[in-house]
Amino acid sequence: MPDIQAVAPVDLAEGLQRAGNDRAFYKELLEMLVADLPRQAAEMRTALERGDLEALRRTAHAVKGAAASLAAGTARELAFQIETFARSGRPDGIAPLITDLEQEGERLRAFAGEL
Amino acid sequence: MSRPLPILIAEDEPVTRRLLESALREMGHRVIATSDGLAAWEAIRRHRARIVIADWMMPGMDGLELVRRIRAMPDSSYIYTILLTARHEKQDVVAGLAAGADDYVVKPFDRDELMVRIRAGERVVRLEEELARRNEQLRRLTLIDELTGIGNRRAFDESLRRLHEHSRRFCHPLGLIMADIDRFKAYNDTKGHEAGDDALRAVARILKESVRTGDLCFRYGGEEFVCLLPETTLDGALIVAERLRDRVRDAGLPHPGNPPFGVVTISAGAYALEPGALITPEELLGRADQAMYEAKRSGRNAVRAWRTPALQL
């Protein structure tokens, strides 16, 4: 896995294209994603503690979808890994990935603030 | 851009849902956004959605099941369906299309690609609308008598079957009048077929204007007309038949070949399905027809009813 700090949190050109090249709309959607992330991370932790991998997978799937739609590559990749671990019944590596995802959320929040 | 279509989105993930909404609104469509399959199923019927974009994975009811339900809807206009999926494995695509989806889009979707796929759906929907409109037009044409503009024999057969069934079931009466222009062959022979056509049109108009609201008139064929009178007993049918006979004679269309009247007249026979009686549509029609010949035999410009023969014990 590459050093996540070194990569831009979104591919802005692609993200803007997905939002019809409407910068304000793209910013709004990115802020939506950022605002939802803490709640989703908490949900995934709770699901992990309960051993409910199916609920964990569903939440990770939703995060992945939103991140992919906005070309937020790192967030998408982290969510995809969580989803994959959850689907294959391997909860061990998931907790640190949720922490990484939260940190990535903060980077996205800072990025969105400057758009 | 033509008239906007009602397009329904079923997507539980809010960012994707907003992106879909914005693309469809930019295309000028009316968008209904829902976040699960059950809400989508309700909204599709309430808003008469013509295009549905459904996420494969949703809480409540998934996109696959939603598509299956749409395809099982009876009597609905064609609904063009697009499945949205993060999967692009071949077997998933096949399963989606086999369930009845028209197309699929892989997430994250490309905005321009989505728009052209929606346009393809629009073409199908508008083509289907046009086809349905023309079919309705054709159906109407097949039920109307071209010469007189009233219902034709086929329309009569349909109405008789429907009204007879209804009347039998609810024990209501149903009257029927068979009417025939007197000595029409002589009229055609002396005045020509164009005048004959005019006379047919005139008689059709008089009949139509002389029956009551709810009564139906048809050209049965040649110079024969038939009227269906819902909720009408034989006594009522005779009153209507007498009025038809009067009005046609009073119109005073010259017909020298029809002595002693000298004008166009009709002979009419009436019969009715009385409440609770067990007669078939064919018997109803056949008896009114027999009564009409009775009216002819009695000297024309007359009305007769078919009466039950005295019981032979």
Side-chain angles (χ1 to χ4, degrees):
Chain A
M1 162 124 222
D3 177 5
I4 60 173
Q5 297 298 326
V7 187
V10 302
D11 179 336
L12 189 57
E14 193 187 327
L16 281 173
Q17 198 273 333
R18 290 196 194 286
N21 291 312
D22 180 339
R23 205 179 175 89
F25 182 47
Y26 180 69
K27 179 182 159 83
E28 185 193 327
L29 293 179
L30 205 56
E31 282 168 346
M32 238 167 90
L33 168 75
V34 166
D36 277 351
L37 252 181
R39 180 184 52 79
Q40 289 166 317
E43 271 176 26
M44 287 191 279
R45 280 216 177 80
T46 311
L48 188 61
E49 281 160 22
R50 282 206 318 265
D52 186 352
L53 292 187
E54 174 54 24
L56 181 61
R57 187 198 62 74
R58 273 203 307 272
T59 307
H61 180 79
V63 174
K64 183 190 74 177
S69 293
L70 298 173
T74 307
R76 191 204 76 87
E77 181 60 26
L78 288 165
F80 174 68
Q81 287 184 23
I82 296 170
E83 189 189 0
T84 308
F85 278 134
R87 181 182 286 129
S88 52
R90 289 180 296 149
D92 295 357
I94 292 179
L97 288 170
I98 296 174
T99 307
D100 285 351
L101 187 59
E102 282 175 312
Q103 283 171 9
E104 184 61 14
E106 288 312 309
R107 287 219 303 148
L108 285 167
R109 184 191 302 278
F111 186 87
E114 281 170 22
L115 270 176
Chain B
M1 163 86 210
S2 42
R3 192 170 47 77
L5 293 173
I7 302 190
L8 182 127
I9 299 169
E11 165 65 79
D12 57 323
E13 196 279 293
V15 169
T16 307
R17 192 167 64 236
R18 289 290 310 277
L19 282 170
L20 286 167
E21 277 186 72
S22 107
L24 295 172
R25 292 228 162 86
E26 186 186 317
M27 294 177 78
H29 291 300
R30 192 158 68 77
V31 185
I32 305 119
T34 57
S35 55
D36 69 75
L38 283 170
W41 176 235
E42 287 297 313
I44 285 165
R45 288 173 298 168
R46 193 167 61 249
H47 296 276
R48 298 175 182 281
R50 301 306 316 278
I51 298 181
V52 170
I53 305 170
D55 189 24
W56 184 296
M57 267 192 254
M58 279 185 297
M61 188 197 304
D62 67 14
L64 215 55
E65 176 59 21
L66 187 62
V67 167
R68 282 199 197 100
R69 289 210 189 178
I70 289 170
R71 287 294 169 259
M73 277 166 81
D75 308 321
S76 87
S77 301
Y78 192 75
I79 299 175
Y80 191 89
T81 56
I82 301 174
L83 272 175
L84 211 52
T85 172
R87 321 159 168 216
H88 35 263
E89 285 88 12
K90 198 172 176 182
Q91 71 261 32
D92 290 330
V93 170
V94 170
L97 297 178
D102 294 287
D103 198 4
Y104 70 98
V105 171
V106 175
K107 289 196 288 187
F109 64 86
D110 179 271
R111 195 179 173 93
D112 295 333
E113 183 190 328
L114 176 82
M115 285 180 167
V116 294
R117 285 181 189 271
I118 295 289
R119 258 177 226 119
E122 265 185 78
R123 285 196 292 275
V124 171
V125 166
R126 295 199 197 281
L127 221 61
E128 195 264 353
E129 270 178 0
E130 178 64 14
L131 200 64
R133 202 179 59 76
R134 290 197 189 183
N135 274 342
E136 178 55 24
Q137 231 170 31
L138 280 176
R139 202 191 65 85
R140 289 175 54 85
L141 281 176
T142 60
L143 295 177
I144 286 171
D145 175 56
E146 207 180 337
L147 180 69
T148 61
I150 63 175
N152 62 14
R153 169 82 172 265
R154 183 197 296 261
F156 167 73
D157 288 342
E158 264 185 33
S159 297
L160 174 61
R161 204 175 336 102
R162 189 165 40 76
L163 287 171
H164 178 270
E165 208 175 283
H166 181 92
S167 304
R168 274 284 310 278
R169 172 151 181 234
F170 297 105
C171 279
H172 289 191
L174 172 64
L176 192 152
I177 298 169
M178 197 73 178
D180 188 275
I181 301 178
D182 294 322
R183 297 196 179 92
F184 187 66
K185 189 180 176 305
Y187 189 91
N188 260 337
D189 289 348
T190 54
K191 301 202 163 208
H193 286 278
E194 243 171 79
D197 287 352
D198 287 343
L200 288 169
R201 271 192 286 264
V203 169
R205 197 180 55 245
I206 294 165
L207 297 186
K208 213 174 102 183
E209 287 168 358
S210 306
V211 294
R212 305 154 306 175
T213 308
D215 294 340
L216 303 166
C217 296
F218 307 88
R219 183 174 174 213
Y220 192 71
E223 68 273 25
E224 268 189 314
F225 296 88
V226 58
C227 303
L228 279 170
L229 320 172
E231 309 291 333
T232 307
T233 60
L234 181 53
D235 290 341
L238 282 169
I239 293 170
V240 175
E242 282 292 353
R243 185 165 66 229
L244 301 182
R245 186 190 59 80
D246 277 349
R247 297 264 173 95
V248 171
R249 184 203 54 212
D250 292 350
L253 300 167
H255 185 358
N258 187 28
F261 316 108
V263 292
V264 171
T265 57
I266 57 168
S267 296
Y271 192 62
L273 167 72
E274 303 293 341
L278 295 171
I279 59 164
T280 63
E282 292 74 23
E283 283 170 325
L284 181 56
L285 179 65
R287 289 174 184 184
D289 197 47
Q290 279 180 37
M292 190 262 286
Y293 280 102
E294 197 49 46
K296 292 265 184 203
R297 271 196 297 276
S298 76
R300 298 187 173 82
N301 184 35
V303 171
R304 287 292 180 273
W306 191 89
R307 297 288 180 190
T308 315
L311 281 175
Q312 306 284 314
L313 291 174

